[in-house]
C-alpha cells in the first residue's frame, strides 16, 4: 500500500508544481473556438500558428503571437508584419519585412515550471522534429509515441510478464483460497497465515502484486503530456493525417459530414478493449471475486475511453491507438517468451 501511494505521488508531483494548458477566452469570458475544427484554442501556445483563421482569432483576443517562435522554419528568412508610427503624419502604419526565422526548441520561452520544461516542451520538440522529417505531424506523433514506448519497454515488459507469472502461480493460489475458505475470515492469526502462504507463492513465481499497477501510473502523466503538447503546438492541431484534421474531435468531424471520424472511435474502442483484455485476463483467479471485478473494471474503462475519444482531438486518439497496439503486440511477445 505504501509503495502504491509513493507511485501515485510521484506521478502527481509534476502536475502539482506547475500549471497546465490555458484555454483562450474572449472578452465575455467564453472559450474561443475555431469554427472550422471545433477546437477550443489554447492561450499559452508554444509557437506560432500558420492558419489564417487561427491567427485572426488569436490577434482579435490580444494574444501576442508575433513574439513566439515558429513551430518549424521552412526557410531561413520569413516575412513578418510590424506596426510603426509615421513621424510625418503621426499615424500608425503596418509594414512587411524579412527577418531571421526562429524555430521552436526546448528552451523557447524560458523556464515555465517543472512540468512544462521537462515534459511538455521536449515532447513537443520531438513530435515537431519527426513531423518535419516525415513532412506530416500525424506521423511525427505516431513515431514519438512508439519511441517513448520502446524506451519504457524494459519496465512495461516486466509489468506484462506479471500476468504470465500469475497464470503459473494460479493453481497454488486456488489451493490456498480453498484451504482457508471455511475458516474464520475475521481471525487475524488465520488471515496472517494465509497472507504468508500467498506471499511464499508470489516469491516462488516472481510475482510482484504492485507491479501490475506500474504501467497505469506511467501512462497517466504521458497521456497528459501528449494532451498538452498537442493543444499547445499549432503545427500539430492544424495538421491533417489521412484526411482527418488532427485538431478536430470526432464529434465535430461527424457533425461536419466527415464520417471517417467514426472509424477513429471504432479503432480506439477495439484497441482499448483488446489491450485491457490482454493485460487483465490472467491477473485474477478463475474462482474468485477478483475475476468479476477485473472484468467489470475492464468494461468500465473501455466504455469511458470510447466516450472520451468522441470528444478528444483526433491527434490524441491517434496517440491512444498507437500505445494500445504497442501494448497488444508487447503482451503477445511476452506470452510467447514465458511459454
Amino acid at each position: 500500500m505504501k509503495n502504491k501511494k509513493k507511485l501515485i505521488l510521484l506521478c502527481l508531483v509534476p502536475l502539482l508544481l506547475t500549471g497546465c494548458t490555458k484555454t483562450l477566452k474572449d472578452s465575455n469570458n467564453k472559450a474561443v473556438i475555431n469554427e472550422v475544427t471545433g477546437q477550443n484554442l489554447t492561450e499559452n501556445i508554444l509557437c506560432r500558428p500558420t492558419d489564417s483563421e487561427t491567427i485572426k482569432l488569436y490577434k482579435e483576443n490580444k494574444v501576442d503571437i508575433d513574439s513566439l517562435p515558429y513551430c518549424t522554419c521552412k526557410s531561413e528568412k520569413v516575412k513578418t508584419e510590424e506596426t510603426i508610427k509615421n513621424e510625418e503624419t503621426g499615424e500608425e502604419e503596418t509594414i512587411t519585412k524579412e527577418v531571421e526565422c526562429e524555430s521552436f526548441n526546448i528552451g523557447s520561452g524560458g523556464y515555465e515550471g517543472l512540468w512544462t520544461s521537462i515534459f511538455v516542451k521536449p515532447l513537443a520538440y520531438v513530435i515537431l522534429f519527426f513531423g518535419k522529417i516525415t513532412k506530416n505531424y500525424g506521423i511525427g506523433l505516431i513515431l514519438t509515441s512508439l519511441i517513448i514506448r520502446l524506451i519504457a519497454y524494459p519496465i512495461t515488459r516486466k509489468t506484462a510478464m506479471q500476468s504470465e507469472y500469475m497464470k503459473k502461480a494460479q493453481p497454488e493460489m486456488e489451493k490456498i483460497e480453498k484451504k482457508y475458505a471455511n475458516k474464520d475470515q475475521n481471525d487475524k492469526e488465520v488471515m496472517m497465515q494465509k497472507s504468508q502462504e500467498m506471499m511464499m507463492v508470489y516469491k516462488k513465481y516472481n510475482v510482484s502484486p504492485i507491479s501490475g499497477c506500474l504501467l497505469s501510473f506511467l501512462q497517466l502523466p504521458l497521456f497528459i503530456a501528449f494532451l498538452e503538447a498537442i493543444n499547445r503546438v499549432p503545427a500539430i492541431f492544424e495538421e491533417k493525417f489521412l484526411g482527418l484534421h488532427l485538431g478536430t474531435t470526432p464529434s465535430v468531424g461527424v457533425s461536419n459530414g466527415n464520417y471517417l471520424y467514426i472509424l477513429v472511435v471504432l479503432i480506439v474502442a477495439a484497441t482499448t478493449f483488446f489491450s485491457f483484455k490482454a493485460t487483465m485476463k490472467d491477473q485474477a483467479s478463475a474462482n474468485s471475486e477478483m475475476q468479476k471485478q477485473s472484468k467489470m473494471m475492464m468494461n468500465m474503462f473501455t466504455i469511458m475511453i470510447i466516450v472520451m475519444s468522441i470528444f478528444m482531438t483526433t491527434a490524441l486518439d491517434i496517440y491512444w491507438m498507437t500505445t494500445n497496439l504497442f501494448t497488444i503486440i508487447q503482451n503477445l511477445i511476452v506470452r510467447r517468451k514465458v511459454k
Side-chain angles (χ1 to χ4, degrees):
M1 183 61 72
K2 288 182 179 180
N3 288 330
K4 285 185 180 181
K5 288 180 179 179
K6 287 179 181 178
L7 284 170
I8 294 171
L9 184 61
L10 184 64
C11 292
L12 291 178
V13 162
L15 298 177
L16 295 173
L17 290 177
T18 57
C20 300
T21 300
K22 295 179 184 177
T23 302
L24 180 62
K25 295 185 179 180
D26 60 20
S27 56
N28 296 318
N29 205 32
K30 291 183 179 179
V32 177
I33 300 174
N34 186 320
E35 297 296 334
V36 177
T37 64
Q39 182 188 33
N40 287 354
L41 293 182
T42 301
E43 180 181 343
N44 55 338
I45 50 176
L46 298 172
C47 48
R48 298 190 193 197
T50 57
D51 176 68
S52 57
E53 182 60 30
T54 305
I55 291 172
K56 181 182 175 184
L57 288 170
Y58 275 111
K59 289 193 172 181
E60 283 178 354
N61 291 280
K62 300 178 181 178
V63 176
D64 183 17
I65 59 174
D66 293 331
S67 63
L68 296 172
Y70 288 83
C71 293
T72 53
C73 289
K74 296 180 180 179
S75 60
E76 292 182 3
K77 297 276 188 178
V78 290
K79 290 183 179 180
T80 184
E81 291 184 347
E82 184 178 331
T83 303
I84 61 170
K85 190 173 183 179
N86 190 310
E87 293 181 359
E88 294 181 0
T89 63
E91 295 180 355
E92 289 187 342
E93 295 179 356
T94 300
I95 61 170
T96 302
K97 63 178 184 178
E98 282 193 342
V99 296
E100 294 288 335
C101 180
E102 181 192 354
S103 182
F104 172 78
N105 59 62
I106 296 172
S108 294
Y111 179 74
E112 294 185 33
L114 187 65
W115 173 251
T116 299
S117 298
I118 295 180
F119 290 93
V120 180
K121 284 186 177 181
L123 183 58
Y125 177 78
V126 174
I127 296 171
L128 289 171
F129 174 78
F130 285 112
K132 188 176 181 180
I133 291 175
T134 59
K135 301 190 184 306
N136 187 282
Y137 294 112
I139 297 174
L141 178 63
I142 292 171
L143 288 175
T144 305
S145 304
L146 289 173
I147 288 169
I148 288 174
R149 290 308 301 264
L150 285 170
I151 292 171
Y153 180 72
I155 298 172
T156 57
R157 177 178 171 274
K158 288 180 181 179
T159 304
M161 288 179 73
Q162 287 302 305
S163 64
E164 295 304 312
Y165 292 149
M166 192 66 186
K167 186 195 285 187
K168 289 186 175 183
Q170 209 64 53
E172 293 185 37
M173 296 296 289
E174 288 176 8
K175 286 180 182 178
I176 295 172
E177 289 287 351
K178 288 178 181 178
K179 178 180 176 181
Y180 290 92
N182 297 321
K183 294 188 178 181
D184 185 2
Q185 303 297 307
N186 294 318
D187 189 322
K188 291 183 179 180
E189 288 187 10
V190 170
M191 289 299 101
M192 180 72 75
Q193 189 175 348
K194 177 185 175 182
S195 178
Q196 287 175 347
E197 289 183 28
M198 290 177 75
M199 291 305 295
M200 290 293 290
V201 175
Y202 285 149
K203 188 175 181 180
K204 178 181 176 181
Y205 291 97
N206 265 339
V207 175
S208 175
I210 66 164
S211 66
C213 304
L214 183 59
L215 182 59
S216 299
F217 291 139
L218 281 173
Q219 288 220 69
L220 178 60
L222 278 175
F223 180 81
I224 296 171
F226 266 95
L227 173 63
E228 288 223 24
I230 290 163
N231 287 338
R232 296 183 65 181
V233 178
I236 300 173
F237 65 68
E238 289 176 346
E239 182 68 275
K240 284 188 177 181
F241 178 66
L242 299 177
L244 303 170
H245 203 294
L246 294 181
T248 298
T249 64
S251 61
V252 172
V254 171
S255 66
N256 289 338
N258 189 342
Y259 296 102
L260 275 175
Y261 287 95
I262 295 175
L263 186 61
V264 173
V265 177
L266 292 176
I267 295 174
V268 168
T271 56
T272 300
F273 176 79
F274 287 110
S275 173
F276 283 162
K277 186 177 181 181
T279 303
M280 294 182 177
K281 71 176 183 178
D282 297 322
Q283 292 180 1
S285 172
N287 64 347
S288 71
E289 283 297 314
M290 284 185 68
Q291 186 184 39
K292 293 179 182 178
Q293 292 174 6
S294 180
K295 188 175 180 180
M296 186 185 303
M297 187 183 300
M298 181 185 75
N299 291 335
M300 284 177 61
F301 272 127
T302 302
I303 293 168
M304 181 181 73
I305 289 168
I306 291 170
V307 173
M308 286 173 61
S309 71
I310 297 171
F311 303 101
M312 291 191 302
T313 60
T314 302
L316 201 59
D317 285 333
I318 289 173
Y319 159 73
W320 194 253
M321 292 178 211
T322 305
T323 55
N324 282 341
L325 286 170
F326 187 95
T327 301
I328 293 167
I329 294 169
Q330 174 185 262
N331 287 338
L332 288 172
I333 292 171
V334 168
R335 188 168 288 121
R336 286 182 181 180
K337 283 188 176 181
V338 172
K339 285 182 180 178

